[in-house]
Amino acid sequence: MTAARGERNPWQILGVLTIGLFMTLLDLTVVNIAFPSIITDLGATLDEGLWTFSAYTLAFATLLIVGGRLGDWFGPRRVYLAGLALFVAASMVCGVADDATVLIAARAVQGLGGALVAPQLLPVTAAVFPPSKWGAAFGVSAALSGLAILAGPTLGGLIVTYLSWRWIFYINLPLGLLTLFLVARIVPDLRPGRRRSFGLGSTALLIAGLGAFSFALIEGERLEWSPLVWTLLAVGVLLAALFALVQRRGQNGSALVPFALFRSRNFATMSGVIAITGFGMLGTFLPLTIYLQSILHMSPLRAGLTIAAMPLTSTLVAGGVGKLADRYGGRNFLVGGLLLFTTGVVLLAAVSTPDATTWRLIGPLALVGLGTGMVFAPLFAVAFADLDPQLSGAASGVINTAQELGGLIATAVVGAILQARLVAGMRHWVDQQALALPEAGRERFRAAFDPLTSGAVDVTTSGPAAIPKGTDPDQVRATMSAFADAFVTAMRESYAAPAAVLLLGVVVALFSRRTPVLVASATPAAGPPGDRPHEPHERTAMPEQHTAASGAGTTIIGLYQVQKGKEDQVREAIARHWPVLARHGLVTGAPAKIYQGEWGEGTYFLEIATWTSDEALHSAFSIPEITAIWQEIKDLTVDRNGRDGVEYPAVTRLPAFDSITPEPYDGPVATGVAIHQIRPDKLEAMRELLAREWNVLLAEGFIPRHRPQAYLGKDKHGPFSISIVDWYEPSGPGKAFMNEAVNGLWREVQANTTGRAGRPASEYLWAEEITLDKGTAR
């Protein structure tokens, strides 16, 4: 893994992987704008057209978590390649399909391929990027993912106008083959090797439940809401409940959905918000794309450019909103964004008439884009604010699945309302027209228009397809006008669903904990301290620093980076040299505080010793017994990350920490060691900041008042500090990262530190204290 990181540009790897992800997410919405052209060309009904959306979304949404598990087993690159190959092959079948059934089946296979591709981005990115760049890397992929979903209709409009709807699928062939080649050539073949249960039984329950529920909603009007429809609805709900029960019994590490995720209030509420946002987006797109082409008779290109006001606005505001949310808190922007989204949908319904112009629609569409931009910018940061970092992988799969399921349900619900109200409107108009005819001809007239008043209405780019042949031209125009009026009315009524659901989202968002959203690229990524080195900066000249401890000799920190497999030998050597130092009267408080922990791929030891005087320290080098042990330790160490295998800098304990009175605490702790290379002109600022940071961590409830230590010193690279702090739990730093007060201090730390010679400005490590007893360490 380390070799792969060193040999390949991680941004190049991310760029290649993002092409495939962009393709799979684009196909969630790119078909929307081609919807009228597809059903016209294939002679499909409205409900068959709806299944071209639902089949893809259903397979994609329900198999995302399984795709992630497959990546864990076979390696993310292998699964990505297999999924992309399947996606490209299914795209070709979609392009040549001459029947709605074939197209729907191929779209389902496309969704399966997409579900194998999408989850692999997270583990590969985490492996090839250093943790200090995770925020920037994930931010780029999230922005492109959102753009793909929102830009689908615009790109689809361009393709349909200048080529045909089939090229929406054909274009995946050259892009997919190029991506397959690049991924095989550039992306490292990581093999996590964690064999886990796929939960195929649970997945089957989920797919069957959602499939039955969606089928019932989409086909309900055509089947006249018969007992079969209600039975399918009940079966869908029952299977979903059974899925939840099976998952509850499998909460031993093999569950598809770890319920521990939902003990985090922010994650639970944001999962609801993202599902609601997905519902709002797809619920708005579906009637709109039909309306623009079938009612306003726009070309696909003009329709796509009209819709472009939405993604363009969203993309433009997202970056600025992220920075503002960092300062003022993410929850406020989430609530504001959902309210603006709702307002945009309501205004869009109000201005939609049979003769609306593009300019009348752009304002509400831009307002919808403003709302979505304000929602997506802070949403993920708020979701992960108080989440155990060890659950981040599962959390990513769950929250992305929630968004896709929201869109799936929107397609079914809004499609059912649109179809039902359109049929009711046309039936009312036909009945009114029939009253003007002699009674003997009324039933025949109604029968002639039966395709417009039965369960499924055929919609083409020019309006209804089922006007009886030979109908008088005046009657045709009247029918077209009536159809436009009925569709607009149905569209307005169907928009009540996303508007109501988005308002519910406002309520859900208000239940989240107030937490600021942070710019990940400017601060350390959430996670254990050892995973968060800062970016290196240029070092300036530094002044000499006095290192003698006030009135009590000299404190020295021994920092050893140990060769792999030599840990026990170093521990034993450290234990042997302390009795010798004490016997010669060179140190006070023997034995010293000694810590051991993992540093990168190896082990380190940290030894804190207070010598009786500077002279005692120097005289130790003239005692062969001591120097022999020190040489033995040095021979067992290795240089790493710009550091010598052995370092013995002199330090001064911070007076502020001497004044802290520790309190007994017998509970479990996770000891964190923070090493900062300080900018020479920021030494005094850092001295004050370290003490203030400890007090804030204590006040915010992340650490006990237990054994605080902080030291300032100077090595060959300049001034530095070492802090040793006990946390209540290993997940504490990840949670503290999202705390407004703590994060403000960590930003100041970053401004006060710098790196040099390959050493990061800051290093955060875990450690355990070692007890020395009679010449041995345990």
Side-chain angles (χ1 to χ4, degrees):
M1 188 178 297
T2 305
R5 181 181 295 175
E7 295 168 3
R8 298 176 173 92
N9 184 337
W11 289 106
Q12 189 179 53
I13 294 171
L14 177 63
V16 169
L17 292 174
T18 303
I19 299 173
L21 178 67
F22 191 90
M23 290 167 57
T24 60
L25 294 177
L26 189 72
D27 270 44
L28 284 168
T29 56
V30 73
V31 176
N32 289 29
I33 203 71
F35 179 80
S37 299
I38 291 173
I39 59 179
T40 299
D41 193 20
L42 298 182
T45 61
L46 179 61
D47 61 298
E48 287 175 326
L50 291 173
W51 271 105
T52 64
F53 303 127
S54 300
Y56 184 90
T57 310
L58 179 64
F60 185 82
T62 55
L63 292 171
L64 277 171
I65 299 175
V66 175
R69 292 295 177 90
L70 285 167
D72 285 340
W73 195 348
F74 296 106
R77 189 183 74 166
R78 283 186 171 190
V79 177
Y80 184 101
L81 290 171
L84 190 57
L86 189 62
F87 179 85
V88 171
S91 296
M92 286 301 300
V93 176
C94 289
V96 301
D98 57 1
D99 177 79
T101 303
V102 174
L103 179 59
I104 292 169
R107 285 282 285 166
V109 177
Q110 252 196 326
L112 170 59
L116 296 178
V117 168
Q120 312 315 324
L121 199 67
L122 175 64
V124 175
T125 302
V128 301
F129 278 91
S132 59
K133 293 186 178 180
W134 281 357
F138 292 140
V140 168
S141 61
L144 289 175
S145 298
L147 183 62
I149 294 172
L150 292 172
T154 302
L155 183 59
L158 288 169
I159 294 173
V160 172
T161 297
Y162 291 108
L163 297 169
S164 78
W165 66 266
R166 296 182 184 276
W167 277 95
I168 287 176
F169 303 109
Y170 288 151
I171 201 172
N172 289 333
L173 179 61
L175 283 177
L177 292 177
L178 175 62
T179 306
L180 285 168
F181 171 77
L182 292 175
V183 169
R185 184 179 180 84
I186 295 174
V187 177
D189 188 12
L190 308 173
R191 303 289 183 88
R194 296 189 297 273
R195 304 252 169 176
R196 300 178 179 177
S197 168
F198 291 167
L200 292 179
S202 298
T203 305
L205 285 173
L206 185 62
I207 294 173
L210 289 173
F213 190 77
S214 300
F215 181 87
L217 289 175
I218 294 173
E219 296 291 297
E221 181 64 24
R222 188 179 66 82
L223 297 176
E224 298 180 344
W225 299 100
S226 64
L228 173 62
V229 174
W230 293 107
T231 300
L232 287 172
L233 286 172
V235 168
V237 172
L238 180 62
L239 290 176
L242 185 58
F243 167 79
L245 180 61
V246 171
Q247 289 294 288
R248 181 181 179 183
R249 292 177 176 175
Q251 294 297 308
N252 57 358
S254 62
L256 282 172
V257 181
F259 286 2
L261 292 172
F262 299 100
R263 288 197 287 269
S264 163
R265 187 172 74 182
N266 274 16
F267 182 81
T269 54
M270 289 305 101
S271 295
V273 168
I274 200 169
I276 286 168
T277 304
F279 186 104
M281 289 172 58
L282 269 294
T284 303
F285 273 146
L286 177 59
L288 180 64
T289 52
I290 303 174
Y291 165 72
L292 293 177
Q293 296 181 77
S294 298
I295 305 304
L296 299 185
H297 307 298
M298 291 185 181
S299 67
L301 175 59
R302 184 180 172 189
L305 292 175
T306 301
I307 294 175
M310 193 188 306
L312 285 177
T313 305
S314 181
T315 303
L316 287 173
V317 304
V321 167
K323 293 179 181 178
L324 291 172
D326 178 29
R327 182 174 181 181
Y328 298 107
R331 192 178 76 171
N332 297 332
F333 286 91
L334 281 167
V335 171
L338 289 166
L339 288 173
L340 287 173
F341 194 169
T342 307
T343 304
V345 172
V346 172
L347 289 177
L348 187 60
V351 302
S352 297
T353 62
D355 58 353
T357 62
T358 298
W359 295 109
R360 188 190 299 178
L361 300 172
I362 284 180
L365 288 172
L367 196 60
V368 170
L370 177 61
T372 56
M374 289 178 64
V375 169
F376 279 114
L379 190 145
F380 286 96
V382 174
F384 285 80
D386 55 1
L387 194 65
D388 185 343
Q390 295 180 358
L391 298 176
S392 59
S396 298
V398 169
I399 202 167
N400 282 290
T401 299
Q403 180 183 355
E404 305 310 331
L405 292 181
L408 169 65
I409 296 173
T411 300
V413 172
V414 174
I417 295 173
L418 181 68
Q419 185 166 275
R421 300 315 302 159
L422 178 58
V423 168
M426 288 306 299
R427 185 178 294 142
H428 176 74
W429 179 80
V430 169
D431 288 341
Q432 291 293 340
Q433 295 295 306
L435 291 177
L437 299 174
E439 188 172 351
R442 292 175 184 173
E443 287 304 316
R444 186 171 58 185
F445 179 84
R446 291 190 181 96
F449 285 91
D450 186 65
L452 292 176
T453 59
S454 59
V457 179
D458 292 342
V459 183
T460 70
T461 53
S462 58
I467 298 177
K469 293 182 179 181
T471 303
D472 180 78
D474 291 339
Q475 186 65 58
V476 171
R477 285 191 290 272
T479 303
M480 296 287 287
S481 177
F483 181 84
D485 289 337
F487 188 92
V488 167
T489 300
M491 177 180 173
R492 289 174 174 173
E493 293 179 4
S494 68
Y495 273 172
V501 171
L502 288 169
L503 285 177
L504 175 62
V506 174
V507 177
V508 173
L510 287 172
F511 278 95
S512 65
R513 185 170 61 85
R514 284 187 178 273
T515 306
V517 179
L518 310 172
V519 182
S521 61
T523 55
D531 292 335
R532 299 196 314 269
H534 286 273
E535 288 289 321
H537 300 281
E538 186 63 30
R539 177 177 295 284
T540 58
M542 42 153 281
E544 194 73 18
Q545 179 184 336
H546 179 67
T547 58
S550 56
T554 300
T555 300
I556 298 294
I557 287 184
L559 189 59
Y560 314 123
Q561 181 67 32
V562 182
Q563 295 178 24
K564 209 162 190 178
K566 305 297 184 180
E567 296 85 359
D568 290 341
Q569 292 173 252
V570 171
R571 188 185 302 113
E572 190 270 340
I574 292 173
R576 276 192 287 114
H577 91 280
W578 268 103
V580 179
L581 294 174
R583 187 171 67 247
H584 287 276
L586 300 175
V587 293
T588 64
K593 290 183 180 296
I594 304 173
Y595 299 88
Q596 176 182 346
E598 297 299 314
W599 195 344
E601 296 180 356
T603 299
Y604 77 97
F605 287 83
L606 180 66
E607 187 178 28
I608 305 172
T610 300
W611 294 71
T612 56
S613 65
D614 286 344
E615 291 74 20
L617 175 62
H618 295 145
S619 66
F621 290 96
S622 63
I623 302 175
E625 187 179 6
I626 296 174
T627 55
I629 296 175
W630 285 351
Q631 185 61 47
E632 179 183 349
I633 293 174
K634 183 177 180 179
D635 292 340
L636 296 172
T637 62
V638 63
D639 295 349
R640 176 189 174 273
N641 199 27
R643 290 190 175 278
D644 298 333
V646 175
E647 294 178 273
Y648 290 107
V651 297
T652 300
R653 184 176 170 91
L654 284 181
F657 278 69
D658 283 333
S659 65
I660 296 172
T661 303
E663 294 178 357
Y665 178 73
D666 296 326
V669 294
T671 301
V673 177
I675 306 175
H676 301 298
Q677 291 293 145
I678 305 171
R679 299 177 64 90
D681 59 332
K682 299 293 185 180
L683 188 57
E684 290 305 313
M686 197 69 173
R687 187 191 302 270
E688 180 272 337
L689 180 59
L690 289 172
R692 184 155 49 95
E693 181 183 53
W694 188 87
N695 282 298
V696 170
L697 288 171
L698 183 67
E700 295 294 327
F702 293 108
I703 62 174
R705 185 182 290 272
H706 187 55
R707 303 187 305 180
Q709 302 174 69
Y711 305 88
L712 287 175
K714 173 194 168 191
D715 60 17
K716 65 181 180 180
H717 297 293
F720 72 96
S721 68
I722 290 184
S723 303
I724 303 173
V725 176
D726 288 336
W727 296 76
Y728 284 118
E729 56 183 353
S731 62
K735 297 176 181 178
F737 170 70
M738 291 299 181
N739 178 279
E740 183 176 14
V742 177
N743 187 261
L745 293 176
W746 282 354
R747 284 176 176 273
E748 291 185 51
V749 169
Q750 187 184 37
N752 292 343
T753 56
T754 186
R756 185 182 177 188
R759 298 168 67 150
S762 298
E763 293 170 289
Y764 295 87
L765 312 170
W766 289 123
E768 292 184 2
E769 186 171 3
I770 296 174
T771 301
L772 298 179
D773 184 21
K774 295 182 180 180
T776 62
R778 69 174 188 269

